[in-house]
Amino acid sequence: MVLLTDREVYFKCKMRIYKLPSSEVYSELETSKRGLSTEDAGKRLEKYGANQIEEIKKTPIIYEFLANLYQLLALLLWAASILAFISGTPQLGLAIIAVIIINAIFSFWQEYQAEKAIEALKRILPTTTKVIRDGKESEILSSQLVPGDIMILEEGDNISADARLVEAFQMKVDSSTLTGESKPVWKVAEVEEGDENPVEVHNLVFAGTSVASGSGRAVVFATGVHTEFNKIAALTQEVKDELSPLQKELRRVTQIIAILAVLMGLILFTVNIYLVSLPLSVAFLFAIGLTVANIPEGLLPTVTLSLAASVQKMARKNALIKRLSSVETLGSTNIICTDKTGTLTRNEMTVRKIWIPYEILDVTGTGYEPQGEFLHQGKEVSQEQIRELRLLMRSATFANDAKLVEPSKSGEKWKILGDPTEAALLVAARKNGFDWKERIEEQPQIFELPFDSKRKSMSSIHQKGPVKMAYIKGAPKKMIALSSQISVNGEARTFSEEEKEQIIKVHDELAASGLRILGMAYRELSSDFEDYQPQSVERDMVFVGMMAMQDPPRPEVKPAVEDCHRAGIRILMITGDYGLTAQSIAEEVGIISGEPCQIIKGKELDKLSDEQVKEILRGDCNVIFARAVPEHKMRIASLLESEDEIVAMTGDGVNDAPALKKADIGVAMGITGTDVAKEASDMILTDDNFATIVGAIKEGRTIYENIRKFITYIFSHETAEIIPFVLMVVLGIPLPITVMQILAIDLGTDTLPALALGVGPSESDVMDRPPRSRKEGLLNRFVIIRGYVFLGLIEAVLVMSGYFWVLFSAGWSFGIDLSFSDPLYLKATTMVFAGIVVAQIGNLLGCQTTRTSAFKVGLFKNKWIIRGIIFEVIVLLSIIYIPLLQNIFSTTALGLNEWLYLLPFIPIIFFAEELRKYISN
């Protein structure tokens, strides 16, 4: 038994396995064409372990934590603490150090939570592989693959283990991950001679590569750490994720704020020394206070956690975001390029009508349940019609890679493996009583020409006695054009051009009613025919009929399309379907309405110059790109990008990968999408639903607005912290707030409320506004004016009024100096401290919305708002009334009169913001 126990045995196996005939490969790896038994697979899994690459050791958690101690803002605080010690205030120095550590813990925890959230998302959609076990096709987790398993490989599949091909039909594999060669290479099942580089051997496939085209079967001989891919896995894992544009902008803004904070601190220090003539130690203390007041210590980690929370929220709504940076891009998306099948429709293909010369039959039943019947004008079909149907069903089921899975117990539904369109053909055949499995045993398959998006056809070659038969299905117009004969009453006769035109008219009528149509044909080949190339097989065919399928639109798509229209998002349909079919669906879901629609076929698109296509894309008329291939998607994405549009592009096939990568947001289908498409995408739809894309765009807009909301919230209290220092210099009054109190607000009372704004719900008009420009920064003029100026000044006036109210009530007047330990000074500064926190409660309630009234959203709809308020109230009361904290933060207890003065700050701030929204609207 040649199974893998170490790398040496693995290489011996690999060097020998490609020299063996296919028949001997099974015995070499102690398996058979029926695959492994479930029991044997379990034993091998226990022996060789899970099929997973060897993970390199990540940066120790302690190092990740320590990194938060020497980032820019932390370094500034370290400098402030040193200055505090120099100025003779070790208590302040120790407090700032404590703040650095607390902030580091907070930042580390949020980044750690964000990282864990992304890792959890990766586990939601595990990689699977189709295998043969116990003689049946099944789908298993790729991590459960073991040596001896037989993998079924189809176009778009990622290959999850090293394996030897035993069958290959027109198969090409993208091995760029191993060889660096971008061009897919042909793969065959035949024996290779010579001692070539194993990676370049044509009958071996390797983990980490993907099937570019064709299909095949391969026997696994290496999994997990023994695969060739494991060599480069460590290098792949060492690549670090780059910061998103939003995170880069925030880092830049934070650096600017930090520089301004230092400059303002230096200016205040200079003024206090040379103009006010304060002692050096006191000047140091005030400069430190102003610097600390300007530093937004918790901004970056709060943004990161808000993005991660948004990603988790999207995952619960069937949109898996692979990169945090994609969230911000979603909010700017202004064009969605979508396919039709599965995305706009339910992906429940059902054959509704069948055309056989020269009659249309109705098919009853829905979904994949093989229950229904064939009717002609409401009556049972005749024997002649049954004979024609048999010919039709051969092509429909022989040239077919889908599988129907019967329910294993009562209550379960029929399931499918493979393409839903092909599955619909199998269901129709079963309704007709056609046993394709039995027929295939009579005519065994000897070769297959897989479906190709350019050819728009698929052929299966079978041995029928002494001759060979090719059964073909594909786009009806192509089938008709390539057929020289037509089967009528079971006999092939000449297919005239007049007949072809008549059938195409029937086809167009069916397509205009929203049906998707496939044509069926066959061709008898000679016994010595060996030229299995599409151009040799798919010609001089006998046309046998058409099968028309319906995939009804999803009910939730029409409201989503309406949302897009209101939000200024344009929808382009790019589909491989027939134009009239696509137009019918587009009209039904509201993508096009009223105005005439321009349908551009793939061949017509090829003839247009880039400038002509741009002109069409710039226009206001409805346009559908029909009979399009993936290369057309790539071209359209590139042209839209050159016009500075932000594009979300859907795709599911292997050839869609370049377009998905090119688009700003590549959207892959989680159900029908290939592994390659999912890997190239930025977002995966676990329900393949267009409405999910619109929901994700809405969430992208929401998170961007939410980040602006909590930045506004933070900026407003910074103004209220800075103004006291300005008034101290201008009016010569005792400093109204201490550095310790500023730190208590910045890294105490304000932390949870800021996060609450970051995870708030959408505003009611979030999808009633045009997309945000790519060039529009996070901190625009509106955010700065709203936070620093409007709300900040109101808050500063309120808290300073409380400060002077306390002083004047006690008989204080300008020019009277107060010591830091004076009870009156302690009460006045406590009033400012409490005033900022109380005012921030009103600010928190008001900042939940930017344009619409907070009452429309619901003041407490966001449960974190209530938690944030409770949190800051508890912290505030603790600092004011607990003796130990009073000594640390220089506070004193406030009485009923002071609280009665402070509580109106909440409605004043809140209704001032509500009035601004009302006037601006």
Side-chain angles (χ1 to χ4, degrees):
M1 180 176 178
V2 185
L3 287 176
L4 313 177
T5 55
D6 52 39
R7 294 290 289 175
E8 182 179 0
V9 175
Y10 159 61
F11 278 115
K12 286 181 180 178
C13 178
K14 184 169 69 171
M15 295 301 291
R16 178 169 60 250
I17 202 79
Y18 70 81
K19 297 181 180 179
L20 298 176
S22 299
S23 57
E24 295 181 22
V25 172
Y26 295 106
S27 58
E28 179 76 7
L29 294 170
E30 293 199 350
T31 185
S32 68
K33 291 184 177 181
R34 289 180 51 80
L36 298 173
S37 66
T38 303
E39 182 182 359
D40 193 14
K43 290 179 180 178
R44 297 190 186 201
L45 182 63
E46 186 177 346
K47 181 175 182 180
Y48 304 119
N51 180 35
Q52 296 171 339
I53 62 173
E54 187 175 20
E55 290 193 8
I56 62 171
K57 291 184 178 179
K58 295 184 177 180
T59 304
I61 290 180
I62 186 63
Y63 291 159
E64 292 183 4
F65 168 72
L66 292 175
N68 289 288
L69 297 177
Y70 53 81
Q71 57 172 306
L72 177 62
L73 297 183
L75 291 175
L76 285 176
L77 291 174
W78 280 116
S81 68
I82 293 171
L83 290 174
F85 282 110
I86 293 174
S87 65
T89 52
Q91 184 182 21
L92 176 59
L94 291 172
I96 294 175
I97 291 174
V99 166
I100 296 170
I101 295 173
I102 292 170
N103 188 49
I105 293 171
F106 182 64
S107 300
F108 167 74
W109 178 78
Q110 295 198 68
E111 290 167 1
Y112 180 76
Q113 289 295 107
E115 183 180 330
K116 288 298 178 186
I118 297 301
E119 288 181 1
L121 290 176
K122 293 177 181 177
R123 294 192 291 270
I124 292 177
L125 200 67
T127 304
T128 58
T129 301
K130 287 196 277 288
V131 298
I132 297 176
R133 283 189 179 175
D134 299 312
K136 299 178 182 178
E137 284 189 24
S138 60
E139 202 164 20
I140 65 171
L141 293 175
S142 299
S143 59
Q144 305 296 304
L145 280 173
V146 294
D149 263 327
I150 300 173
M151 294 190 294
I152 300 172
L153 302 174
E154 297 173 354
E155 180 179 304
D157 287 349
N158 277 342
I159 300 170
S160 301
D162 293 358
R164 164 68 155 85
L165 285 167
V166 289
E167 290 181 15
F169 301 114
Q170 298 286 300
M171 189 172 178
K172 287 184 178 181
V173 169
D174 180 356
S175 302
S176 56
T177 51
L178 292 179
T179 64
E181 175 59 51
S182 59
K183 187 177 180 181
V185 295
W186 283 101
K187 291 292 180 178
V188 296
E190 287 75 24
V191 175
E192 289 274 331
E193 297 296 336
D195 294 323
E196 302 180 38
N197 176 3
V199 175
E200 297 177 357
V201 171
H202 292 289
N203 61 18
L204 297 182
V205 292
F206 297 92
T209 62
S210 58
V211 182
S213 62
S215 60
R217 297 188 178 192
V219 184
V220 174
F221 64 82
T223 59
V225 297
H226 300 292
T227 61
E228 193 71 23
F229 184 69
N230 190 66
K231 289 181 181 180
I232 63 170
L235 296 175
T236 303
Q237 294 179 65
E238 287 173 358
V239 176
K240 294 182 178 179
D241 290 334
E242 292 186 2
L243 292 176
S244 73
L246 174 61
Q247 290 167 318
K248 288 178 181 177
E249 183 184 357
L250 280 170
R251 178 163 290 188
R252 180 183 62 82
V253 168
T254 304
Q255 290 170 349
I256 292 172
I257 292 174
I259 292 170
L260 290 175
V262 172
L263 289 175
M264 291 176 70
L266 289 173
I267 292 171
L268 182 65
F269 177 77
T270 303
V271 170
N272 282 333
I273 290 293
Y274 295 104
L275 297 181
V276 184
S277 300
L278 290 177
L280 184 64
S281 59
V282 177
F284 259 132
L285 181 64
F286 291 167
I288 292 168
L290 184 59
T291 302
V292 171
N294 274 284
I295 296 176
E297 293 92 345
L299 183 59
L300 284 175
T302 304
V303 169
T304 302
L305 191 59
S306 295
L307 286 171
S310 180
V311 167
Q312 287 180 304
K313 185 178 179 181
M314 289 188 198
R316 290 192 293 270
K317 296 181 179 180
N318 302 312
L320 298 187
I321 306 296
K322 294 168 63 179
R323 302 174 187 87
L324 286 181
S325 59
S326 300
V327 177
E328 64 207 70
T329 309
L330 275 167
S332 301
T333 300
N334 61 355
I335 291 182
I336 301 175
C337 296
T338 181
D339 197 350
K340 175 185 73 67
T341 305
T343 313
L344 300 176
T345 57
R346 294 179 182 177
N347 209 23
E348 294 178 358
M349 280 288 182
T350 303
V351 175
R352 290 296 186 193
K353 295 184 182 293
I354 290 178
W355 182 91
I356 53 175
Y358 285 88
E359 298 163 321
I360 294 180
L361 309 180
D362 295 311
V363 184
T364 63
T366 59
Y368 298 118
E369 300 292 325
Q371 297 173 357
E373 55 184 338
F374 288 62
L375 301 173
H376 179 236
Q377 297 179 350
K379 299 178 182 179
E380 291 185 3
V381 294
S382 65
Q383 289 301 313
E384 290 79 10
Q385 291 167 337
I386 290 174
R387 190 182 310 114
E388 290 295 336
L389 284 171
R390 291 287 187 266
L391 284 173
L392 186 78
M393 293 304 172
R394 275 198 176 89
S395 292
T397 58
F398 284 18
N400 195 316
D401 287 328
K403 298 287 185 295
L404 286 181
V405 182
E406 294 187 42
S408 57
K409 54 185 178 182
S410 61
E412 286 187 354
K413 292 185 177 182
W414 284 74
K415 297 178 182 178
I416 66 167
L417 290 176
D419 181 72
T421 302
E422 292 190 333
L425 303 181
L426 298 182
V427 172
R430 198 174 182 97
K431 290 176 182 177
N432 185 239
F434 182 80
D435 189 344
W436 65 87
K437 293 181 181 178
E438 183 179 319
R439 297 292 185 269
I440 289 177
E441 288 180 4
E442 296 172 0
Q443 298 183 36
Q445 186 185 56
I446 56 177
F447 201 82
E448 180 181 286
L449 292 171
F451 175 82
D452 181 87
S453 58
K454 290 183 178 179
R455 287 181 15 247
K456 298 191 181 302
S457 60
M458 174 184 180
S459 296
S460 183
I461 293 91
H462 294 252
Q463 188 72 49
K464 183 182 180 182
V467 299
K468 297 174 182 177
M469 297 292 295
Y471 296 98
I472 307 105
K473 76 170 191 297
K477 286 189 175 181
K478 178 185 177 179
M479 295 293 99
I480 293 170
L482 295 178
S483 297
S484 57
Q485 295 180 294
I486 184 171
S487 176
V488 180
N489 295 326
E491 295 182 2
R493 63 172 178 76
T494 302
F495 199 6
S496 69
E497 292 300 319
E498 184 180 348
E499 285 179 304
K500 290 182 179 182
E501 290 177 6
Q502 290 175 355
I503 295 172
I504 288 174
K505 286 182 181 178
V506 174
H507 166 270
D508 288 350
E509 290 173 2
L510 292 172
S513 63
L515 296 176
R516 185 179 189 182
I517 310 162
L518 285 176
M520 308 296 163
Y522 71 87
R523 181 186 173 201
E524 184 175 319
L525 307 173
S526 62
S527 57
D528 58 350
F529 187 91
E530 296 291 342
D531 185 13
Y532 299 129
Q533 296 299 317
Q535 61 271 23
S536 300
V537 174
E538 296 173 354
R539 62 183 182 85
D540 298 326
M541 303 182 298
V542 180
F543 188 70
V544 293
M546 298 181 291
M547 300 179 76
M549 291 154 280
Q550 184 184 46
D551 187 8
R554 297 175 184 265
E556 62 272 25
V557 167
K558 191 167 185 177
V561 170
E562 291 172 358
D563 284 344
C564 287
H565 290 326
R566 289 200 323 274
I569 300 171
R570 190 178 178 193
I571 303 171
L572 293 178
M573 185 185 286
I574 308 174
T575 178
D577 270 355
Y578 191 59
L580 292 176
T581 305
Q583 181 178 350
S584 174
I585 294 295
E587 289 174 347
E588 190 170 349
V589 299
I591 292 177
I592 57 176
S593 58
E595 299 178 9
C597 174
Q598 182 179 7
I599 299 175
I600 301 176
K601 298 177 184 177
K603 290 182 178 179
E604 295 170 356
L605 183 61
D606 290 333
K607 297 175 183 177
L608 297 175
S609 68
D610 286 351
E611 196 54 45
Q612 287 175 312
V613 178
K614 285 182 183 180
E615 196 63 34
I616 292 170
L617 293 172
R618 292 189 199 114
D620 295 328
C621 67
N622 297 311
V623 61
I624 292 174
F625 295 95
R627 290 299 185 206
V629 296
E631 288 79 1
H632 295 141
K633 284 187 175 183
M634 177 67 176
R635 184 185 179 196
I636 292 169
S638 300
L639 293 176
L640 288 171
E641 185 185 61
S642 69
E643 294 289 288
D644 207 29
E645 308 284 6
I646 299 180
V647 181
M649 175 74 73
T650 68
D652 55 9
V654 60
N655 292 331
D656 288 330
L660 294 178
K661 284 186 176 180
K662 184 67 177 174
D664 298 281
I665 294 289
V667 184
M669 304 298 110
I671 299 173
T672 60
T674 61
D675 294 337
V676 174
K678 293 173 189 175
E679 201 168 283
S681 67
D682 302 291
M683 180 169 75
I684 299 173
L685 306 182
T686 58
D687 60 354
D688 290 11
N689 194 337
F690 177 84
T692 302
I693 304 175
V694 180
I697 290 174
K698 180 179 180 180
E699 187 62 30
R701 290 186 174 193
T702 299
I703 187 61
Y704 208 85
E705 288 197 349
N706 284 349
I707 292 172
R708 282 179 167 171
K709 289 171 188 175
F710 72 66
I711 289 176
T712 301
Y713 174 80
I714 291 171
F715 281 1
S716 58
H717 79 70
E718 287 189 356
T719 301
E721 292 169 354
I722 294 169
I723 291 295
F725 286 90
V726 176
L727 294 180
M728 178 199 71
V729 175
V730 174
L731 301 179
I733 61 175
L735 181 63
I737 188 169
T738 69
V739 179
M740 292 297 294
Q741 290 165 357
I742 290 173
L743 292 175
I745 295 169
D746 291 1
L747 285 167
T749 60
D750 263 6
T751 52
L752 194 59
L755 182 59
L757 289 173
V759 296
S762 305
E763 291 191 44
S764 58
D765 68 341
V766 71
M767 293 299 282
D768 293 334
R769 300 169 60 81
R772 174 177 53 85
S773 169
R774 191 198 299 262
K775 298 176 182 178
E776 183 182 342
L778 184 68
L779 296 183
N780 57 16
R781 183 182 302 174
F782 172 75
V783 173
I784 294 172
I785 292 176
R786 182 188 178 201
Y788 272 125
V789 180
F790 178 69
L791 292 171
L793 287 178
I794 294 174
E795 193 167 312
V797 169
L798 289 174
V799 298
M800 289 310 299
S801 73
Y803 174 78
F804 286 117
W805 176 73
V806 169
L807 291 180
F808 291 147
S809 297
W812 178 88
S813 62
F814 287 101
I816 298 176
D817 197 14
L818 297 174
S819 68
F820 292 153
S821 59
D822 189 303
L824 180 60
Y825 177 74
L826 292 176
K827 189 174 185 179
T829 55
T830 301
M831 194 71 172
V832 173
F833 167 66
I836 291 176
V837 176
V838 172
Q840 283 293 87
I841 294 175
N843 191 16
L844 176 65
L845 294 173
C847 280
Q848 291 185 83
T849 59
T850 304
R851 297 169 302 277
T852 57
S853 171
F855 292 109
K856 287 187 177 180
V857 174
L859 285 181
F860 301 107
K861 181 179 179 181
N862 178 3
K863 60 185 179 181
W864 283 100
I865 293 293
I866 298 175
R867 294 171 184 173
I869 293 173
I870 293 173
F871 172 79
E872 60 185 339
V873 169
I874 290 174
V875 174
L876 172 63
L877 295 178
S878 299
I879 291 175
I880 290 177
Y881 291 106
I882 295 176
L884 176 61
L885 296 179
Q886 285 178 335
N887 293 331
I888 295 174
F889 293 98
S890 301
T891 59
T892 189
L894 297 178
L896 179 60
N897 288 337
E898 286 77 28
W899 285 114
L900 290 176
Y901 189 94
L902 291 173
L903 288 176
F905 289 7
I906 297 174
I908 290 172
I909 287 281
F910 174 74
F911 284 110
E913 174 62 4
E914 286 291 291
L915 180 62
R916 181 202 62 78
K917 297 170 193 172
Y918 177 78
I919 294 173
S920 63
N921 288 332

